[in-house]
């Protein structure tokens, strides 16, 4: 897809384009009404054995006779649960790179020990999933309708019949909300949330956030652009729907913000630019999508990219548009942006 067009957007197309990928541009077309009610710790039954209940962000309550152990999860959620001591044995979504190594979204999991039902978009082996005999499927959702992320639409009904599902919303909210929800989910599954590793990670995230707030306040003139690269298109993200950008903006980061009219074609997620127009917005720091389906900065050969002031100044950092929702994994991304702002030269 070399040019984004509202009438022809599909979820597969968004991923193929690379620019929004997990940002769910198409899913936003389902509407702006965030009608799904979020669960809370009061609605979650935490136990290591016995009945299990969890109310997800769609307002759906899943009840099982026992705490599930045969869990299948979107890889990023599985990686977050792994950080809390809950081992997920079956995953779907970007898990392994072409050389068999762990994808960036797999976190610290040993991918060689995982059963992967689908490693790329629109791939999900239903027969293998059925044979696995899952007790629950856990993933995220990028729209107000609660569409299950990375569950193919064509086989969604078959998958739904095999096990109940839990969805954590990562749509139009700050990252602290899904972080808390996954915390509650892990606790309900039997994780020890008082363990030093867990509580220390939360403290480090809070410290990193305060560092970023301080840096943004001290350098209000530093402009940050969130971008993503595909073969024919450069995408500039808006900040109003992404959980990381909404949080950074709340901490005071000065983002380049495409006008609403430019974001409209993608449902509010991003603006598509040709490489000839990649210099449309002036920026001092560029945050680039780190997912494997996108072109990474070192591999961009476009002359217009290399001429950008932020690129020439070496002020390009990575961004995780689909951050692993555990406090431990979110520390680095907050610290990296704080450091970049603290040390950036004004080049725009």
């Amino acid at each position: 897809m070399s040019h984004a067009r509202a009438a022809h957007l599909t979820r597969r197309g968004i991923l193929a384009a690379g620019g929004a990928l997990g940002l769910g541009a198409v899913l936003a077309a389902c509407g702006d009404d965030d009608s799904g009610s979020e669960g809370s710790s009061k609605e979650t039954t935490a136990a290591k054995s016995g009945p299990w209940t969890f109310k997800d962000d769609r307002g759906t309550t899943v009840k099982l006779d026992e705490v599930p152990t045969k869990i299948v999860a979107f890889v990023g959620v599985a990686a977050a649960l792994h950080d809390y001591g809950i081992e997920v044995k079956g995953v779907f979504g970007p898990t392994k790179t072409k050389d068999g190594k762990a994808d960036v979204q797999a976190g610290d999991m040993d991918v060689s020990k995982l059963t992967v039902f689908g490693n790329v978009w629109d791939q999900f082996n239903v027969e293998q999933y059925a044979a696995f005999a899952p007790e629950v499927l856990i993933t995220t959702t990028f729209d107000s309708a609660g569409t299950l992320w990375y569950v193919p639409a064509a086989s969604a009904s078959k998958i739904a019949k095999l096990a109940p599902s839990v969805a954590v919303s990562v749509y139009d909210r700050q990252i602290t909300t899904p972080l808390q929800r996954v915390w509650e989910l892990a606790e309900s599954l039997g994780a020890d949330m008082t363990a030093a590793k867990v509580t220390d990670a939360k403290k480090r995230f809070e410290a990193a956030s305060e560092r970023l707030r301080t840096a943004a306040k001290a350098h209000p003139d530093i402009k940050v652009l969130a971008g993503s690269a595909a073969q024919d298109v450069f995408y500039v993200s808006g900040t109003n729907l992404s959980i990381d950008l909404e949080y950074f903006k709340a901490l005071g980061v000065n983002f380049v913000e495409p006008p609403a009219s430019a974001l409209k074609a993608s449902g509010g997620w991003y603006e598509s630019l040709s490489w000839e127009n990649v210099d449309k917005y002036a920026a001092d720091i560029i945050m680039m999508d780190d997912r494997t389906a996108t072109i990474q900065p070192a591999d961009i050969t476009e002359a217009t990219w290399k001429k950008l002031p932020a690129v020439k100044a070496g002020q390009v950092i990575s961004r995780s548009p689909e951050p692993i929702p555990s406090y431990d994994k979110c520390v680095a991304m907050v610290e990296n942006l704080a450091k970049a702002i603290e040390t950036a030269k004004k080049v725009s």
Side-chain angles (χ1 to χ4, degrees):
M1 185 174 73
S2 59
H3 300 284
R5 298 182 181 181
H8 299 93
L9 284 173
T10 63
R11 290 198 300 166
R12 179 181 177 87
I14 294 303
L15 265 87
L21 285 159
L23 300 184
V26 186
L27 303 185
C30 294
D32 297 324
D33 179 22
D34 192 359
S35 57
S37 60
E38 294 180 15
S40 69
S41 57
K42 294 181 180 179
E43 299 162 332
T44 300
T45 301
K48 292 185 179 180
S49 62
W52 181 76
T53 300
F54 190 84
K55 186 175 182 179
D56 75 0
D57 290 344
R58 299 169 299 178
T60 299
T61 299
V62 176
K63 297 181 180 180
L64 298 174
D65 292 338
E66 299 286 341
V67 176
T69 56
K70 296 201 73 175
I71 301 169
V72 172
F74 174 71
V75 61
V77 177
L81 292 175
H82 172 84
D83 286 347
Y84 294 131
I86 302 298
E87 299 302 328
V88 176
K89 299 176 181 178
V91 300
F92 56 98
T95 305
K96 299 179 180 179
T97 58
K98 292 181 180 179
D99 58 4
K101 296 181 180 179
D103 187 276
V104 65
Q105 295 192 62
D108 294 332
M109 294 189 296
D110 183 347
V111 297
S112 68
K113 296 182 179 179
L114 298 173
T115 298
V116 183
F117 299 104
N119 196 66
V120 299
W121 180 254
D122 229 19
Q123 180 187 89
F124 197 111
N125 191 320
V126 180
E127 291 184 1
Q128 185 184 25
Y129 179 67
F132 186 82
E135 295 172 317
V136 66
L137 180 148
I138 305 173
T139 187
T140 53
T141 181
F142 279 88
D143 65 12
S144 60
T147 306
L148 299 180
W149 189 235
Y150 259 83
V151 174
S155 54
S157 61
K158 294 180 181 179
I159 292 169
K161 293 176 182 177
L162 296 170
S165 61
V166 167
V168 175
S169 179
V170 288
Y171 172 69
D172 194 17
R173 63 204 60 207
Q174 295 179 30
I175 195 171
T176 44
T177 299
L179 280 173
Q180 179 61 28
R181 295 296 285 133
V182 173
W183 176 288
E184 294 166 1
L185 177 60
E187 186 174 37
S188 79
L189 293 169
D192 180 4
M193 308 312 285
T194 65
K197 177 182 177 181
V198 173
T199 57
D200 287 351
K202 188 173 184 180
K203 290 177 182 177
R204 288 189 292 110
F205 175 81
E206 292 168 348
S209 298
E210 190 56 39
R211 177 183 175 184
L212 178 55
R213 187 194 305 275
T214 300
K217 185 176 181 179
H219 305 279
D221 60 328
I222 296 298
K223 295 181 180 180
V224 181
L225 182 149
S228 186
Q231 183 175 353
D232 301 319
V233 188
F234 182 81
Y235 300 89
V236 179
S237 293
T239 62
N240 291 329
L241 299 177
S242 300
I243 57 173
D244 61 329
L245 301 184
E246 282 204 18
Y247 185 58
F248 297 153
K249 181 172 63 175
L251 293 176
V253 176
N254 180 10
F255 278 102
V256 169
E257 192 73 61
S261 58
L263 299 171
K264 186 177 180 180
S266 68
W269 289 95
Y270 61 85
E271 177 181 2
S272 304
L273 299 177
S274 66
W275 283 103
E276 290 78 10
N277 296 316
V278 73
D279 60 352
K280 179 177 179 179
Y281 298 107
D284 303 294
I285 296 171
I286 300 177
M287 302 173 68
M288 289 296 289
D289 191 333
D290 68 354
R291 289 168 294 180
T292 52
T294 65
I295 300 175
Q296 297 305 300
D299 299 319
I300 298 175
T301 59
E302 301 289 342
T304 49
W305 163 262
K306 295 180 178 180
K307 292 179 180 178
L308 293 176
V311 175
K312 292 173 68 175
Q315 294 176 176
V316 178
I317 64 173
S318 65
R319 175 200 170 207
S320 299
E322 286 185 76
I324 293 171
S326 77
Y327 286 102
D328 179 71
K329 292 300 176 290
C330 288
V331 171
M333 72 176 195
V334 180
E335 289 183 337
N336 288 346
L337 181 55
K339 181 180 179 181
I341 293 175
E342 289 166 349
T343 60
K345 297 178 181 178
K346 183 66 181 176
V347 295
S348 65

